[in-house]
Amino acid sequence: MLGAGWWARGRGFWRLLQPLEPRFGAGGRSRLPLRQHAAQGSCRPAEIGLQPRRDKYGGLSVSLSQLRSPESLGEATFQRWLQDSVRQWKAEGHIAVWLHVPILQSRFIAVAAEQGFTFHHAESHSATLTLWLAEGCSRLPIYATHQLGVAGAVLDVHTGKVLVVQDRNKTTNAWKFPGGLSEPGEDIGNTATREVFEETGIKSEFKALLSIRQQHRHPGAFGKSDLYIICRLEPSSFSISFCQQECLRCEWMDLTELAKTKEATPITSNIARLLLYGYREGFDKIDITMREFPAVYTGLFYKLYHRQLPEDWRNTTNLQ
Ligand SMILES: NC(=O)C1=CN([C@@H]2O[C@H](COP(=O)(O)OP(=O)(O)OC[C@H]3O[C@@H](n4cnc5c(N)ncnc54)[C@H](O)[C@@H]3O)[C@@H](O)[C@H]2O)C=CC1
Ligand SMILES: [Mg+2]
């Protein structure tokens, strides 16, 4: 159960998400932002209908999606507003500005860039720019650094055969486990079973993680880092109907043969040997299992992956 301290912190956090009032409200006389008496020596920004929000780190967030009729706001007016506002925010001690720009208002990006803003990230319909206002180098966190790929090693324990594919759009044809890129908000095990089904038509159940590969400067990840996770899956259907667009071949291959063949990608050979060891000696020797727990964020859950603890782990660690 969460204590009172958490509640107080939670309320504080909620407060920070509200539009700025006292700080931007001329000592309480006005509820409108950007009407605060300007710091000495700086002129007051004109009102253009944007409500900056303060975050818990002392930064400000401004979203141009708040503009009621963006088409009637000229670049020159926006330029003056931004310049005056930045001067005021700096004088007030704010550490940074986050500027969210819908794609259709992209003409304001160049205006912001002229004042020192740089891209932080972009999604399909908006870009986020930042400007560091405090002393020294920016301490703002950078955006995503990795892409996540997940493959499924689907092993039929009754026959000792494992499901393998050859990708269609590759220069060399090598056997690999079916898999692909994780979708936003998707659990690792779900990516594995979804990709296996999409590429091969085989239904399967997630059992455990087997390995994680981290590869920097990955050409397939636009030069970013790539995390490639291979899961152990158990099949619940056996008749292959593979995706002709993505795969050239697909078959159930003897696991021992996959571990030996030179016609597999190096990581596939490595994992085939690991899987063969687990098949013979017990999967508990190789599995990284998953447990689900409630997160500190209300209503959310997270998945924790770790080696399985023995039944008597509480006794051996004196944690009753
Ligand atoms: N050594 C191995 O066994 C291999 C491991 N991987 C890993 O698998 C993960 C990605 O799996 P994939 O099967 O590649 O993903 P995926 O199954 O999600 O397929 C990606 C699709 O996007 C298409 N595609 C990629 N770049 C494209 C472009 N520039 N223009 C048009 N279409 C494009 C591909 O043809 C493919 O159909 C990564 O983590 C990667 O590191 C990928 C290939 C081999
Ligand atoms: Mg794939």
Side-chain angles (χ1 to χ4, degrees):
M1 189 161 155
L2 299 171
W6 168 256
W7 169 238
R9 283 199 298 280
R11 281 166 62 85
F13 181 66
W14 170 244
R15 172 68 188 83
L16 290 170
L17 292 175
Q18 306 307 303
L20 295 175
E21 283 169 14
R23 206 155 179 195
F24 277 92
R29 283 194 299 275
S30 167
R31 293 176 68 81
L32 289 172
L34 308 175
R35 288 224 176 133
Q36 188 184 39
H37 293 302
Q40 239 179 355
S42 66
C43 66
R44 200 171 77 181
E47 184 58 60
I48 61 167
L50 293 174
Q51 308 239 338
R53 285 167 185 250
R54 193 169 68 234
D55 64 35
K56 62 179 173 178
Y57 302 99
L60 292 174
S61 195
V62 182
S63 179
L64 300 197
S65 63
Q66 287 180 340
L67 291 169
R68 290 234 172 90
S69 52
E71 60 286 349
S72 60
L73 177 66
E75 277 106 302
T77 309
F78 179 70
Q79 192 273 334
R80 275 194 303 277
W81 174 82
L82 193 60
Q83 195 169 25
D84 293 346
S85 298
V86 164
R87 198 179 296 128
Q88 178 173 329
W89 296 332
K90 215 169 183 173
E92 290 168 357
H94 294 294
I95 64 159
V97 191
W98 299 83
L99 183 66
H100 307 283
V101 187
I103 192 166
L104 289 176
Q105 271 79 66
S106 294
R107 62 198 170 97
F108 297 122
I109 288 177
V111 176
E114 276 166 10
Q115 300 197 29
F117 281 80
T118 52
F119 280 123
H120 184 263
H121 65 272
E123 301 277 1
S124 317
H125 294 101
S126 75
T128 297
L129 290 83
T130 56
L131 179 66
W132 181 248
L133 300 177
E135 292 296 312
C137 296
S138 168
R139 294 193 300 275
L140 297 176
I142 59 170
Y143 198 53
T145 55
H146 287 67
Q147 78 168 9
L148 180 66
V150 185
V154 190
L155 178 65
D156 180 352
V157 290
H158 303 293
T159 61
K161 286 180 188 287
V162 66
L163 187 65
V164 285
V165 295
Q166 288 186 6
D167 277 345
R168 181 166 286 282
N169 300 315
K170 290 281 146 64
T171 36
T172 49
N173 297 329
W175 292 109
K176 52 166 278 219
F177 300 114
L181 297 178
S182 201
E183 289 175 0
E186 187 175 50
D187 283 335
I188 295 165
N190 291 343
T191 305
T193 55
R194 176 183 56 73
E195 283 286 341
V196 165
F197 182 70
E198 285 174 7
E199 294 186 358
T200 70
I202 296 296
K203 292 183 186 152
S204 60
E205 188 191 334
F206 172 80
K207 301 309 280 183
L209 300 193
L210 292 176
S211 82
I212 302 170
R213 179 191 72 178
Q214 186 185 32
Q215 161 87 69
H216 299 298
R217 298 192 298 278
H218 193 279
F222 307 98
K224 292 287 176 190
S225 303
D226 177 84
L227 281 178
Y228 180 51
I229 298 183
I230 297 165
C231 304
R232 184 171 73 81
L233 309 181
E234 245 176 44
S236 55
S237 76
F238 302 90
S239 171
I240 291 172
S241 162
F242 69 90
C243 171
Q244 305 286 332
Q245 276 172 333
E246 287 196 56
C247 308
L248 198 61
R249 294 196 187 92
C250 175
E251 60 182 62
W252 289 104
M253 184 182 282
D254 192 87
L255 179 56
T256 318
E257 190 189 330
L258 183 65
K260 279 192 212 152
T261 182
K262 293 202 169 8
E263 289 172 18
T265 67
I267 188 165
T268 306
S269 301
N270 275 316
I271 303 308
R273 286 171 210 149
L274 180 78
L275 189 58
L276 187 60
Y277 176 71
Y279 183 46
R280 289 180 179 166
E281 304 295 323
F283 290 124
D284 59 318
K285 298 275 197 304
I286 59 167
D287 278 353
I288 302 166
T289 53
M290 181 273 288
R291 289 195 295 157
E292 191 165 17
F293 294 91
V296 289
Y297 310 105
T298 316
L300 297 181
F301 291 82
Y302 65 83
K303 293 199 160 76
L304 191 67
Y305 300 87
H306 60 77
R307 287 293 306 274
Q308 201 147 19
L309 293 165
E311 290 292 321
D312 63 345
W313 72 272
R314 285 180 188 277
N315 299 337
T316 54
T317 52
N318 290 329
L319 289 172
Q320 293 300 333

